């Protein structure tokens, strides 16, 4: 047994842990959990805990259903919301097959595989997400319009506001679990909040995002309100994005940084951005995976609709934030398409793969978009070479189906399952008669 495993076993005794939750994530990004007694943990470390993979969305075909969850001891944390008395802890797991090989269906493995490819080229991938979400007064009911907890807007600070109390408690809990928060504020929509996590390697960030979603929901429930990461819950208010700042490091050096270059952006940084732009439409089905995701990308509200980059341009899909002099290490790009309901493991994997493709192939970065791209005409955008992002989930699926990059990055099994699942979602959506149609037609026809 390694040092980390021993540390965890000791912590179980010292902290009086009675339950250990083993966490993992299905292909669509839902968190799964199995609780084991502390006595089982040694076995879990050496062999894993068996479960029926075919019961988990996207995991297995029925005839090869046996899988094992193996806890990653570096992710051990006590859950702070379980209150006084004996504690409950959690660890993220890697999923393995009975022969010990990694499961091809495990999103965490998809990301790990992509990270190791980048590592073979000497790169570590760092991400920093800005996570937006809405708070509602009550549990949503089918067919009902949710009521936001407040009427505030961007950066508003109001006395006794539900939002700031909520953020204080959520952040305290995140910090208690070793997740550093850099920034938090009220967002543009009523009841909409944003909390930004400190940058970390992409695997830790993806784990942290899964924890974040759980913490935020738990804190909301404890305050008698409801939190949602749905990309666009209201027709007339902004959606919830998960803008993600990314950079590559070679050892201790930021590979995107070059002193004296335009925006201090190195050739590596430029090609990485070009890779994401070139493959933006193909990876859209992963960064924006729901029918509802595309309603956010069509509405403005600082969510992008077109494939372009800019330097201080909030209508662009990628923004290179203003650099601070002498802060070369923080050189990065901000991807603004990805939303708060993406599977973070798969999303980070496809973003990294697209960027790495740009570096391998030496893609050239097109000219930056200097205008507000929403206000341009179709023809102006065409002449600038600015294409639209997929406008619906159906369009995103169509481009994804023939994407080699996506098939290679997700692996055949996840690629097939994912697209099959998304086609089914689209089909269910398009046969549904909506209130839009009824309200338009019933009074007049
Ligand atoms: N809510 C916007 C989005 O959906 C972002 C707003 C902002 O952070 N400037 O992307
Ligand atoms: Mg922000
Ligand atoms: Mg924001
Ligand atoms: Mg942002």
């Amino acid at each position: 047994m390694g040092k980390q495993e021993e540390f965890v076993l000791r912590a179980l005794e010292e902290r009086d842990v009675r339950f250990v939750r083993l966490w993992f994530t299905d292909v669509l990004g839902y968190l799964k959990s199995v609780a084991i007694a502390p006595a089982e943990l040694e076995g879990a470390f050496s062999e894993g805990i068996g479960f029926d993979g075919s019961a988990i969305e996207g995991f297995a075909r029925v005839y090869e259903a046996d899988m094992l969850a193996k806890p990653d001891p570096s992710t051990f944390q006590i859950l702070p919301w379980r209150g006084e008395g004996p504690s409950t802890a959690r660890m993220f797991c890697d999923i393995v097959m009975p022969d010990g090989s990694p499961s091809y269906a495990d999103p965490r493995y998809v990301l790990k595989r992509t990270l190791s490819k980048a590592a073979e080229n000497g790169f570590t991938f760092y991400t920093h997400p800005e996570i937006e979400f809405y708070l509602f007064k009550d549990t949503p009911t089918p067919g009902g319009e949710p009521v936001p907890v407040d009427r505030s807007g961007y950066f508003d600070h109001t006395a006794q506001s539900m939002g700031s109390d909520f953020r204080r408690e959520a952040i305290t809990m995140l910090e208690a679990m070793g997740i550093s928060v850099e920034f938090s504020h009220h967002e543009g929509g009523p009841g909409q909040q944003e909390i930004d996590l400190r940058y970390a390697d992409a695997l830790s960030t993806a784990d942290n995002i899964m924890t974040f979603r759980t913490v935020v929901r738990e804190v909301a429930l404890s305050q008698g309100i409801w939190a949602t990461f749905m990309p666009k819950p209201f027709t007339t208010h902004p959606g919830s994005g998960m803008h993600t700042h990314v950079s590559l490091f070679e050892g201790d050096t930021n590979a995107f940084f070059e002193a004296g270059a335009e925006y201090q952006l190195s050739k590596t940084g430029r090609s990485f951005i070009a890779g994401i732009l070139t493959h933006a439409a193909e990876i859209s089905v992963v960064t924006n995976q729901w029918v509802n995701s595309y309603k956010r990308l069509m509405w403005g509200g600082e969510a992008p609709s077109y494939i372009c980059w800019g330097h201080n341009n909030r209508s662009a899909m990628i923004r290179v934030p203003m650099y601070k002099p002498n802060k070369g290490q923080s050189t990065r790009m901000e991807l603004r398409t990805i939303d708060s309901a993406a599977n973070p493991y798969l999303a980070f994997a496809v973003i990294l793969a697209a960027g790495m493709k740009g570096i391998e192939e030496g893609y050239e970065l097109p000219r930056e978009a200097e205008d507000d791209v929403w206000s341009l005409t179709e023809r102006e955008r065409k002449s600038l070479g600015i294409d639209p992002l997929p406008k619906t989930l159906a369009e995103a699926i169509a481009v994804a189906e023939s994407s080699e990059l996506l098939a290679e990055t997700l692996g055949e099994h996840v690629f097939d399952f994912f697209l099959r699942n998304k086609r089914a979602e689209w089909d269910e959506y398009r046969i549904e008669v909506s209130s839009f149609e009824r309200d338009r037609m019933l009074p007049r026809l």
Side-chain angles (χ1 to χ4, degrees):
M1 204 172 354
K3 277 217 161 60
Q4 282 184 319
E5 285 86 350
E6 278 168 16
F7 165 83
V8 169
L9 292 176
R10 228 175 312 119
L12 291 184
E13 283 192 21
E14 283 164 12
R15 305 287 298 270
D16 191 18
V17 173
R18 302 282 172 85
F19 293 97
V20 181
R21 295 208 166 154
L22 304 185
W23 282 6
F24 57 98
T25 305
D26 74 7
V27 173
L28 297 177
Y30 293 111
L31 186 69
K32 302 282 149 183
S33 173
V34 47
I36 61 172
E40 303 302 315
L41 196 56
E42 248 187 276
F45 280 141
S46 55
E47 283 142 37
I49 294 290
F51 68 97
D52 175 8
S54 67
I56 306 285
E57 200 72 86
F59 260 48
R61 292 171 275 258
V62 181
Y63 55 85
E64 47 188 7
D66 287 337
M67 293 194 179
L68 297 153
K70 259 186 138 170
D72 175 344
S74 69
T75 64
F76 177 83
Q77 285 293 344
I78 306 278
L79 298 181
W81 62 86
R82 308 306 295 185
E84 298 296 304
S87 348
T88 300
R90 77 92 162 91
M91 271 174 282
F92 282 97
C93 294
D94 292 311
I95 308 302
V96 296
M97 304 305 283
D99 68 2
S101 62
S103 158
Y104 45 72
D106 177 11
R108 202 167 186 262
Y109 176 63
V110 171
L111 178 57
K112 278 185 156 183
R113 191 173 53 204
T114 315
L115 293 172
S116 357
K117 261 202 202 153
E120 282 165 22
N121 293 299
F123 294 121
T124 322
F125 184 47
Y126 284 92
T127 54
H128 151 117
E130 306 177 36
I131 314 176
E132 295 176 345
F133 56 93
Y134 270 90
L135 295 176
F136 299 150
K137 281 192 172 146
D138 296 302
T139 310
T141 49
E145 172 107 349
V147 184
V149 290
D150 62 44
R151 291 155 179 260
S152 305
Y154 191 66
F155 268 45
D156 275 350
H157 182 89
T158 38
Q160 299 190 333
S161 94
M162 199 67 228
S164 55
D165 282 354
F166 175 88
R167 292 194 301 272
R168 185 167 356 99
E169 195 171 332
I171 292 167
T172 307
M173 248 178 216
L174 289 165
E175 299 271 355
M177 295 185 76
I179 299 176
S180 307
V181 169
E182 205 159 63
F183 207 57
S184 72
H185 57 88
H186 201 286
E187 248 306 330
Q192 194 183 26
Q193 317 295 322
E194 172 173 321
I195 298 181
D196 303 353
L197 306 186
R198 202 184 142 65
Y199 85 103
D201 68 277
L203 184 65
S204 305
T205 309
D207 287 343
N208 288 347
I209 290 168
M210 295 309 296
T211 306
F212 178 96
R213 291 179 187 166
T214 308
V215 166
V216 161
R217 288 211 188 90
E218 290 284 348
V219 173
L221 284 175
S222 75
Q223 299 189 353
I225 57 178
W226 186 269
T228 183
F229 296 94
M230 180 175 177
K232 189 78 166 67
F234 298 102
T235 309
T236 51
H237 299 306
S240 291
M242 187 171 75
H243 299 181
T244 299
H245 298 249
V246 314
S247 53
L248 288 180
F249 272 70
E250 284 179 293
D252 290 335
T253 315
N254 185 331
F256 283 8
F257 173 64
E258 185 188 317
E262 196 184 14
Y263 308 132
Q264 304 197 106
L265 204 55
S266 68
K267 170 92 181 68
T268 302
R270 298 176 70 83
S271 296
F272 190 93
I273 296 175
I276 297 183
L277 293 172
T278 306
H279 299 284
E282 293 162 61
I283 64 173
S284 183
V285 76
V286 177
T287 53
N288 304 81
Q289 64 163 328
W290 308 101
V291 161
N292 181 253
S293 298
Y294 293 86
K295 308 214 164 160
R296 167 177 165 259
L297 296 179
M298 295 289 293
W299 189 78
E302 301 209 330
S305 308
Y306 298 96
I307 301 174
C308 60
W309 75 284
H311 135 249
N312 211 353
N313 186 340
R314 282 180 162 74
S315 69
M317 181 191 121
I318 290 176
R319 194 171 73 90
V320 176
M322 282 281 271
Y323 59 85
K324 299 186 187 117
N326 311 322
K327 281 243 175 138
Q329 293 301 66
S330 68
T331 304
R332 61 190 189 269
M333 53 146 275
E334 178 191 18
L335 180 66
R336 302 167 60 83
T337 37
I338 179 169
D339 65 44
S340 293
N343 178 329
Y345 301 98
L346 299 185
F348 289 171
V350 299
I351 293 164
L352 175 59
M356 286 303 297
K357 183 90 179 165
I359 294 175
E360 279 158 30
E361 308 283 329
Y363 291 169
E364 292 289 337
L365 189 60
R367 268 208 4 237
E368 73 176 295
E370 284 166 19
D371 303 292
D372 173 355
V373 284
W374 290 300
S375 65
L376 300 176
T377 63
E378 203 60 56
R379 181 185 291 215
E380 286 169 328
R381 277 193 294 264
K382 247 204 183 112
S383 74
L384 291 168
I386 298 176
D387 289 325
L389 282 160
K391 291 189 191 66
T392 59
L393 181 61
E395 281 188 30
I397 295 169
V399 240
E401 273 169 339
S402 54
S403 167
E404 264 173 47
L405 179 90
L406 206 61
E408 213 174 277
T409 310
L410 298 180
E412 192 192 341
H413 175 87
V414 172
F415 181 72
D416 284 349
F417 168 82
F418 192 80
L419 289 181
R420 216 173 332 117
N421 181 283
K422 292 295 141 191
R423 270 184 233 113
E425 181 183 344
W426 180 256
D427 284 343
E428 276 173 50
Y429 171 68
R430 73 198 178 97
I431 59 169
E432 176 109 5
V433 177
S434 67
S435 54
F436 171 89
E437 293 153 90
R438 275 191 217 101
D439 294 348
R440 288 244 161 160
M441 302 195 73
L442 286 179
R444 297 210 282 165
L445 282 170

